[in-house]
Structures are given as C-alpha cells and as structure tokens.
Amino acid sequence: MIRPKISIYTRLVFWITLLVCLLFGAVLFVIQKREAQTLFEETRSRAFLQVRYVADANQPSFARPDQLAIQGYADDNIKDDIFYIVFFDREGRPYVVSSAIRSLQDLFRESHVGKDVTRDDPPFYQERSVAFEGRDLRLLEVEKAIFLPGNDTKWASVMIGMSLEPMVDKMREVQKVLLFIGAGGFLLGILGAAFLARRITRPIHRLVDGTVRISRGDFQHTLAVSSRDEIG
C-alpha cells in the first residue's frame, strides 16, 4: 500500500493550525464559563434583593394578619421576570399563592425554610424547570423567612420564582459573539500557519535545490541568505 506523500509545508500548516485552534478554543471556553457564572451571580443577587423586598413589604400584613392584602400583593406584583410569589405559614404550609400558578401544586407543596432559621441566614435558592402553557421555563426559586419586629422566631416565609430566560438570552448572545470570534481566530490561525510554514520551508527548499545543483557539478551556484536565524 502506497502512503500518500504529504509535504512538510502541509504538515506544518495542519499542526500549527490545530495548535492555534486548541489554544483559542480553550480560551473561549474559559471566557464563556466565567461569563455564564457572572450572569448567574447577577441574577441570583437580584433575586435575593427582590425576595427581601417582598418579605419586608408584607411584614405588616403578617403582623395584623391580613391575608387579603397579602393575596393582593402576590397577584399584583407578578411582572417583568417574577413568575410567581408564594407565602408559607410558620409551619411551612402554603398560605397565599399567586393565582396564576394555583394549578401547579408541585411548585408550592411545602416550604424549603426550616423553623430553626435565623435572621442572618441567607435565602434558600435552587434552579428548576416548569412546564407552563406548553413550554418549559427555567426558574431560579428563592425563599426567605419573615420575622416580626422583636421576634427572632420564623413567623412565615416567602418564595419567588424568577425567570432565567433573560439570562439564557444573554448567554445566547455571548455564544454568538464568541462563535464569530472563534471563526475569525480560525481563519487568522490558518493564515498565520501558512505564513509561518512558508517562512520555515522556503529556505529548506532553496537549500535542497542548491545541494542538488552542486551535486550535478554547478559549483558556481550560491545560496542567498535572506535572514540571520538558524534556517536562513
């Protein structure tokens, strides 16, 4: 079996291009991971602020208590990327649920915040997917305990479901930008590899050609040196 002859130039172009692509791909992968982590941390921080605001806003209604006022708040503040608001009593049972998700009982079966929670504990959070109106929604679920003034015992808790779709859309935009950058880097890698391979192989070809001519008796032939590196 005759193996195909592959020139040194072609091999250099292939391996240099491959190396550049691997390095470029690794850098883009790290950038994408860090960008995804940054976007998630920004969304989580915003969700924490939102759930604290909801808890503080409804603290007086729990002190009275006024279930109708809490229900009105849960229904009237479903906007932007807040998908639902659920309030639990001190025993962890659903107390007030946004009207839009009453049929989705798996979302609010029980509280994730225990009775031994303190004021300084961070909110509970988790990612989850919800099937709603024929589509799957990615949500960040955040729950925080509600305390009454002068009482360090958990009185209730509030959970919000914040849509992650805006974050996903931003990630898609980042991926598109990185894809264009990667395509540009691939083309530049090929051009750079071709240029570098030519710089390496051209003096070698001249040396081989000069050696052949001298071996045939052309002792007047000279090799021009165009650079001062090892190859010449």
Side-chain angles (χ1 to χ4, degrees):
M1 182 177 179
I2 301 177
R3 297 177 59 184
K5 184 178 180 181
I6 302 177
S7 65
I8 297 177
Y9 174 81
T10 303
R11 293 179 183 178
L12 283 173
V13 170
F14 172 78
W15 287 112
I16 295 175
T17 303
L18 180 62
L19 179 60
V20 170
C21 289
L22 289 176
L23 293 175
F24 213 77
V27 171
L28 294 181
F29 177 77
V30 172
I31 292 175
Q32 180 178 346
K33 292 289 288 185
R34 289 187 176 179
E35 188 67 22
Q37 182 178 1
T38 300
L39 289 175
F40 179 78
E41 289 177 354
E42 290 177 355
T43 303
R44 184 183 61 185
S45 298
R46 191 157 55 88
F48 281 11
L49 290 174
Q50 186 70 39
V51 77
R52 289 192 179 100
Y53 174 81
V54 174
D56 292 341
N58 287 273
Q59 187 184 78
S61 297
F62 273 99
R64 284 195 288 270
D66 190 345
Q67 188 173 9
L68 289 178
I70 299 172
Q71 183 68 61
Y73 187 96
D75 290 335
D76 295 341
N77 287 272
I78 303 302
K79 53 188 176 181
D80 298 330
D81 51 358
I82 302 298
F83 184 62
Y84 57 81
I85 301 176
V86 178
F87 292 92
F88 299 92
D89 61 17
R90 68 177 66 186
E91 301 299 328
R93 296 169 299 197
Y95 182 68
V96 166
V97 179
S98 298
S99 301
I101 64 162
R102 282 179 182 167
S103 60
L104 304 175
Q105 296 185 6
D106 288 340
L107 290 177
F108 53 89
R109 288 189 182 275
E110 59 183 2
S111 170
H112 300 289
V113 177
K115 294 181 181 180
D116 56 348
V117 66
T118 66
R119 292 178 181 270
D120 297 329
D121 289 339
F124 166 86
Y125 72 94
Q126 67 177 359
E127 290 186 61
R128 68 183 305 172
S129 296
V130 178
F132 183 74
E133 295 182 349
R135 59 195 182 111
D136 290 331
L137 298 178
R138 290 182 58 187
L139 300 173
L140 179 63
E141 205 169 61
V142 182
E143 184 178 354
K144 185 184 186 310
I146 297 176
F147 297 89
L148 297 184
N151 191 338
D152 290 333
T153 302
K154 168 192 163 186
W155 191 258
S157 65
V158 57
M159 180 175 69
I160 66 171
M162 177 172 284
S163 174
L164 292 177
E165 297 304 314
M167 185 191 76
V168 174
D169 292 339
K170 289 182 180 179
M171 276 305 306
R172 291 193 183 113
E173 294 178 1
V174 171
Q175 289 173 349
K176 289 180 181 178
V177 172
L178 293 178
L179 182 62
F180 284 122
I181 294 176
F186 177 73
L187 293 177
L188 289 177
I190 293 178
L191 294 176
F195 174 77
L196 182 60
R198 185 176 296 275
R199 289 272 300 178
I200 294 174
T201 58
R202 181 179 292 176
I204 296 176
H205 287 311
R206 287 203 300 261
L207 179 61
V208 172
D209 181 65
T211 303
V212 171
R213 294 181 62 175
I214 292 174
S215 66
R216 293 176 179 175
D218 186 5
F219 298 107
Q220 302 298 322
H221 180 72
T222 59
L223 295 176
V225 178
S226 57
S227 64
R228 295 185 179 182
D229 54 22
E230 290 82 356
I231 298 178

